[in-house]
Amino acid sequence: MKKYQFQKRILLRSIFIMLILFIILTMVFSSYVIKTSTAEFEEQIDVQLRGITTQIDNTLRLADDIALQIAANYQIIDAFSGLEEYHDEKNYFVENTDVDYTIKQHLISYMLKQNILKRISLFNSNQDITYVGKAVDFGYLKKDCPNPDIFTDTQSYFADQKGKGSLFRVDSSDPYMREISPTISVLREIKNYQLIPSECLGYTQVQIQIDSFARLGKLLGKETECFILDQKNDHLLYSFQSDRKESEIKTLLRQTNNLRGGLYCKLWDSEKYGIKVLIVSKNTGLIHSLMSTFTWGIFLLFSLITIMILAQKIIIQRTTEPIVQMCEMLTGLQVNKNLQEIPLVICDETDELRQLNNAFNELIKNLKLSMEKEMASKVNEIRCQMYALQTQMNPHFIHNILTIISAMSSTSECEKIPEICEKLSSMIRYNISSSEGFGNLDGEILHAENYLELMKIRYEDKFQYSMSYVGEIQNCHLPKFIIQPLLENCFAHGFRNKEFPWQINIQIYCTEECWEVQIQDNGSGISPQELENLKLELFKMRSRDVRMLMKEMKIGGLSIKNVYIRLYLTYGNHMLFDIQSNPNGTCITVGGNYENTCNGCGR
C-alpha cells in the first residue's frame, strides 16, 4: 500500500461531498432570492396600492362627512321645509334669490376649506336645485332639465334603503354639464336627524372630480401604472403613467394578483364607492437579481473550492497525525528488536474527556450568558415598540379639532376655544409623558374624558356621553391608551352607518383586586358572524410568539387588536377583555388585576 494514500481518499471524498452540498445550497439560495425578490416586489406594489386607496378612501369619507353636516344643518332644513308647499313649474331657488343667497353663503364655506370639491348641490324630488362650485349648464336649473335621471335614481335609492346611509355615485361625465369629466358624488338626505322618524326634505350632493386625484401619482414608482375604473362596467375613469387602451386594461383585470410575463397586477375593488383601482408594474429587478446572484455564485464556487482544498488538506494532516505516527511505528516494528525500544506516540493531551467536560461547562456558561443578553434585548425591544405605539395620536383627530378651532374663531362660539385648547393640550401632554408606556387609571380616565369632551364640541347636541363609577379608584398601573382607542373605535366603526343622536356610556368598576372599564355605544353593532370571527382571531393571538404579536401592533393606529395584544402582554391570562354586540350597539369590557401591573410585565 502506498504511504499516506488514505489521506488523499479522505480529501477527495470530502471535497466531492462538499461540492454537491454547495451546488444544492446554491440552487436553494437562488430559489430563495427569486422568491424574496418577488415577495419584495409584490409588497412594494401592495404598499403603493394601499397608499393610493387610503388617500381615495379618506377623501371620499371627508366628502361624506361634509354631505352629512350640510344635510343636518338647521338652516338648510328650514329652507327645504318651506319647499314642501311649493309646486310651481319654475325652480324655487331661481325665483327666490334671497333664500338661494343665504344657502349659498353657507355652502361656500365648505368649498373654500376643501379645494378638492368640484361642486356642492342641493335639490329635492321636484327638481328645485341650487349649487355652489363649478358652473352648470343653465338647463339644469329648470324643471325640464336635460338629465332628470339623477333626481329619480337618488329618490329610488334612498326609498329602497329606507333613508339609511349615503349614496356614492360614479359618472363617466359631469351629470350637470355636457363635457367628459368623470366624477364621484356622495349624496345624503336632508332631514331633521334629531327627530325619529324624520321625513326626507331633499338631498345633498358633494361632487369630486376624478382628475383631482392626479397628485396620487407621486405615490407610484417609475415602472408602475395605475387605473381608476367604474366598478359596474370596468369603464376607464382615470389613468396614471399609462396610455393603455380600455381593452388592454380589461385583459389585465383577468390576471390580477398574479405575476405573468413580468407584469404584476393588483386590484382594489370597492363596491361601496363604485370604483376599482388597478395597479400594474413590471418586475425588472428580478432579472438583475438573478444575473447578480449567478455571477457571485460562480465566483464564490471557485473561491470556496480553493479554500476547501487547502483547509481540508491542513485539517486532515493534523487530524490524522497520530495515525501517521502509529503507521510509522508499526512500519518500523521488527520482531528481533526489544519492544521497550519502540518509540511511543507522544500526545500532549492526556485527559481528553476531562478537557471535553470543562469545555462543555464553559460552553453552557457562555450559552446561558448569551441567552440572558438575548432575552434582555428582546424585552427592551418589546418595551420600545410598545412605547412607540402608545405615543401615537391620530393626526386626523388633531386636524379635526384644529378645524373646529379655526371655524369657531370667527363666530360667537370663540369663547370655547381656550377650553378646547386646554383639553387638547392635556391629551398631547399625556401622550408624550415619559412613563415607559404605563400610567394610572385616573390619568387614563381623564385622557378619555378630554377626548369625549372634544368630540362633544365637534358634534354638539348630536352626541352625548355618561360616565359612572362603582367603588373607589385604586392607585394602579396599566398600559396607557387602553380606553381612548376603544372610544375612537366607536366613532370610526360603531357610528359609521348610525344616524344621530350618538351616545356612549362608560362604567368604571374598582375592587381591591382588580379594575374594570365597560364602554357601551348605541351604534349599528357588529354582525354575529363578524363578532365570532373577531373573538376567534383574538383568542388565537394568545398562542403566537411575542415577535408575531408585535407584528400585529402596527404603528399609526390603536385598534381593538392592538389594545387586546397590549393587555395580554401586560396581564397574560389575568386580563379581562370581552365584546358583546347587537343591532342596538356594542359593549366592550376591559380590565386587569392590580398585582400584575407593578412591573408592566404580567406574563
Side-chain angles (χ1 to χ4, degrees):
M1 181 182 73
K2 190 174 181 180
K3 195 174 183 179
Y4 310 141
Q5 189 68 28
F6 72 94
Q7 291 181 330
K8 295 182 181 180
R9 289 197 298 269
I10 294 174
L11 179 62
L12 292 175
R13 291 173 181 174
S14 62
I15 291 175
F16 177 75
I17 293 174
M18 295 186 71
L19 183 61
I20 293 177
L21 290 176
F22 180 80
I23 294 174
I24 295 174
L25 290 176
T26 301
M27 295 175 62
V28 172
F29 180 74
S30 299
S31 301
Y32 172 78
V33 170
I34 295 174
K35 184 177 179 179
T36 303
S37 176
T38 303
E40 291 178 353
F41 171 74
E42 293 178 358
E43 177 64 22
Q44 181 182 5
I45 299 303
D46 292 346
V47 169
Q48 296 179 29
L49 179 61
R50 286 196 298 268
I52 288 181
T53 55
T54 299
Q55 292 291 334
I56 293 176
D57 181 70
N58 290 339
T59 301
L60 296 179
R61 284 177 182 269
L62 177 61
D64 190 25
D65 288 342
I66 292 174
L68 179 59
Q69 293 176 28
I70 295 173
N73 184 269
Y74 72 94
Q75 293 180 342
I76 303 297
I77 294 173
D78 290 344
F80 272 80
S81 295
L83 269 68
E84 292 182 330
E85 303 299 328
Y86 183 79
H87 301 288
D88 199 282
E89 295 181 356
K90 296 182 179 180
N91 190 334
Y92 176 84
F93 296 102
V94 175
E95 298 298 316
N96 296 270
T97 56
D98 54 341
V99 178
D100 186 49
Y101 176 78
T102 302
I103 292 178
K104 286 183 176 179
Q105 286 296 106
H106 178 71
L107 298 180
I108 198 66
S109 62
Y110 291 96
M111 295 294 298
L112 294 176
K113 291 178 183 177
Q114 305 295 334
N115 55 9
I116 60 172
L117 302 183
K118 179 181 181 181
R119 185 185 298 115
I120 299 177
S121 306
L122 303 179
F123 59 87
N124 60 11
S125 57
N126 294 325
Q127 299 185 15
D128 297 302
I129 182 172
T130 183
Y131 73 95
V132 293
K134 191 169 183 179
V136 303
D137 293 337
F138 184 74
Y140 286 95
L141 297 178
K142 300 179 180 180
K143 289 295 183 71
D144 54 346
C145 64
N147 182 16
D149 292 342
I150 187 171
F151 302 101
T152 57
D153 292 348
T154 301
Q155 189 176 9
S156 300
Y157 173 83
F158 283 105
D160 295 338
Q161 297 296 320
K162 297 182 180 179
K164 294 183 178 180
S166 55
L167 167 63
F168 287 89
R169 176 188 175 99
V170 178
D171 296 294
S172 57
S173 61
D174 192 328
Y176 296 116
M177 297 185 67
R178 297 180 181 88
E179 66 175 19
I180 300 177
S181 177
T183 62
I184 298 180
S185 304
V186 55
L187 297 100
R188 279 194 175 264
E189 288 183 307
I190 300 173
K191 59 183 179 180
N192 190 343
Y193 288 91
Q194 295 182 352
L195 298 178
I196 299 176
S198 57
E199 184 177 294
C200 175
L201 303 174
Y203 305 95
T204 300
Q205 180 184 29
V206 178
Q207 289 178 270
I208 297 176
Q209 199 160 328
I210 293 292
D211 56 17
S212 65
F213 294 127
R215 67 187 187 282
L216 300 182
K218 298 179 181 178
L219 301 176
L220 300 173
K222 294 182 179 179
E223 301 292 333
T224 304
E225 306 170 64
C226 182
F227 310 92
I228 300 179
L229 310 170
D230 192 326
Q231 199 264 345
K232 294 182 180 179
N233 52 24
D234 295 335
H235 177 68
L236 178 63
L237 302 174
Y238 194 81
S239 62
F240 302 88
Q241 302 181 170
S242 176
D243 55 356
R244 292 182 185 270
K245 297 180 180 178
E246 203 166 278
S247 57
E248 297 180 71
I249 298 172
K250 291 183 178 180
T251 302
L252 293 174
L253 281 172
R254 291 192 290 268
Q255 64 181 59
T256 54
N257 300 325
N258 290 315
L259 187 62
R260 296 180 182 177
L263 288 178
Y264 180 69
C265 303
K266 188 72 175 181
L267 179 67
W268 179 72
D269 192 346
S270 174
E271 184 177 354
K272 175 182 178 181
Y273 298 137
I275 60 173
K276 295 179 180 178
V277 177
L278 176 66
I279 280 190
V280 180
S281 185
K282 190 172 185 180
N283 192 2
T284 56
L286 180 59
I287 299 176
H288 298 294
S289 298
L290 290 176
M291 293 298 297
S292 177
T293 302
F294 180 78
T295 303
W296 280 103
I298 297 296
F299 174 76
L300 290 175
L301 175 62
F302 285 103
S303 300
L304 287 176
I305 289 177
T306 304
I307 294 173
M308 284 190 300
I309 292 175
L310 296 176
Q312 285 287 328
K313 185 175 181 181
I314 295 173
I315 292 172
I316 291 174
Q317 286 178 350
R318 292 185 178 181
T319 304
T320 59
E321 184 176 357
I323 302 177
V324 172
Q325 292 179 0
M326 291 179 63
C327 290
E328 291 178 349
M329 179 196 68
L330 294 174
T331 302
L333 180 62
Q334 296 180 8
V335 180
N336 58 354
K337 287 189 176 182
N338 190 348
L339 295 178
Q340 295 180 352
E341 298 178 358
I342 298 175
L344 299 177
V345 177
I346 300 175
C347 182
D348 296 333
E349 309 296 335
T350 59
D351 194 349
E352 293 82 3
L353 291 177
R354 185 177 298 276
Q355 292 179 0
L356 182 62
N357 187 29
N358 293 336
F360 185 78
N361 290 335
E362 291 295 324
L363 177 64
I364 294 297
K365 292 179 182 178
N366 293 332
L367 182 60
K368 183 178 180 181
L369 180 61
S370 176
M371 290 177 64
E372 290 176 351
K373 291 181 179 180
E374 180 69 17
M375 182 62 67
S377 175
K378 289 182 178 180
V379 171
N380 291 332
E381 178 184 356
I382 293 173
R383 287 182 175 176
C384 290
Q385 292 191 42
M386 287 185 67
Y387 184 72
L389 284 164
Q390 292 172 343
T391 53
Q392 303 301 308
M393 177 171 284
N394 193 336
H396 183 64
F397 166 71
I398 296 178
H399 172 74
N400 287 340
I401 298 303
L402 294 177
T403 302
I404 293 174
I405 293 175
S406 176
M408 284 185 173
S409 62
S410 59
T411 66
S412 60
E413 296 181 328
C414 61
E415 61 185 11
K416 297 182 181 179
I417 292 178
E419 180 185 356
I420 297 176
C421 293
E422 180 181 357
K423 295 185 182 300
L424 181 60
S425 175
S426 176
M427 292 186 68
I428 296 176
R429 187 163 55 250
Y430 182 77
N431 186 61
I432 64 176
S433 61
S434 177
S435 56
E436 298 184 353
F438 285 83
N440 54 50
L441 187 56
D442 281 331
E444 186 69 10
I445 293 174
L446 178 59
H447 181 71
E449 191 171 7
N450 286 333
Y451 172 80
L452 290 173
E453 284 294 322
L454 290 175
M455 297 306 289
K456 183 171 176 56
I457 293 173
R458 176 184 177 186
Y459 292 101
E460 298 177 344
D461 295 332
K462 301 179 184 69
F463 166 66
Q464 298 291 334
Y465 78 94
S466 64
M467 188 174 292
S468 59
Y469 300 82
V470 177
E472 185 178 356
I473 296 179
Q474 304 290 330
N475 185 20
C476 64
H477 295 277
L478 70 159
K480 295 172 66 174
F481 308 112
I482 293 297
I483 302 176
Q484 186 265 337
L486 299 179
L487 298 174
E488 187 175 348
N489 194 70
C490 295
F491 291 92
H493 302 286
F495 296 148
R496 179 181 297 176
N497 297 319
K498 175 69 176 179
E499 297 181 355
F500 295 120
W502 297 343
Q503 187 170 355
I504 294 178
N505 297 320
I506 303 174
Q507 292 183 338
I508 299 100
Y509 301 90
C510 293
T511 65
E512 295 181 356
E513 295 80 22
C514 64
W515 62 273
E516 179 179 337
V517 176
Q518 186 180 91
I519 301 171
Q520 186 168 6
D521 63 51
N522 66 336
S524 55
I526 309 174
S527 67
Q529 184 62 40
E530 291 177 342
L531 182 60
E532 182 180 356
N533 294 338
L534 177 59
K535 288 184 176 180
L536 180 61
E537 185 175 0
L538 293 176
F539 182 78
K540 288 181 179 179
M541 288 181 180
R542 299 191 177 199
S543 60
R544 297 185 186 176
D545 183 72
V546 174
R547 291 185 177 273
M548 294 182 65
L549 289 177
M550 296 309 300
K551 291 181 181 180
E552 297 289 338
M553 300 164 64
K554 299 178 180 178
I555 293 179
L558 300 178
S559 63
I560 290 180
K561 296 179 183 178
N562 188 293
V563 172
Y564 183 90
I565 293 172
R566 291 189 292 119
L567 281 173
Y568 183 64
L569 290 176
T570 303
Y571 298 101
N573 294 326
H574 295 283
M575 79 167 184
L576 176 61
F577 194 98
D578 182 60
I579 304 177
Q580 301 295 330
S581 183
N582 57 58
N584 297 322
T586 301
C587 179
I588 300 180
T589 305
V590 295
N593 292 345
Y594 296 143
E595 61 183 12
N596 293 302
T597 61
C598 296
N599 56 8
C601 189
R603 301 185 67 191

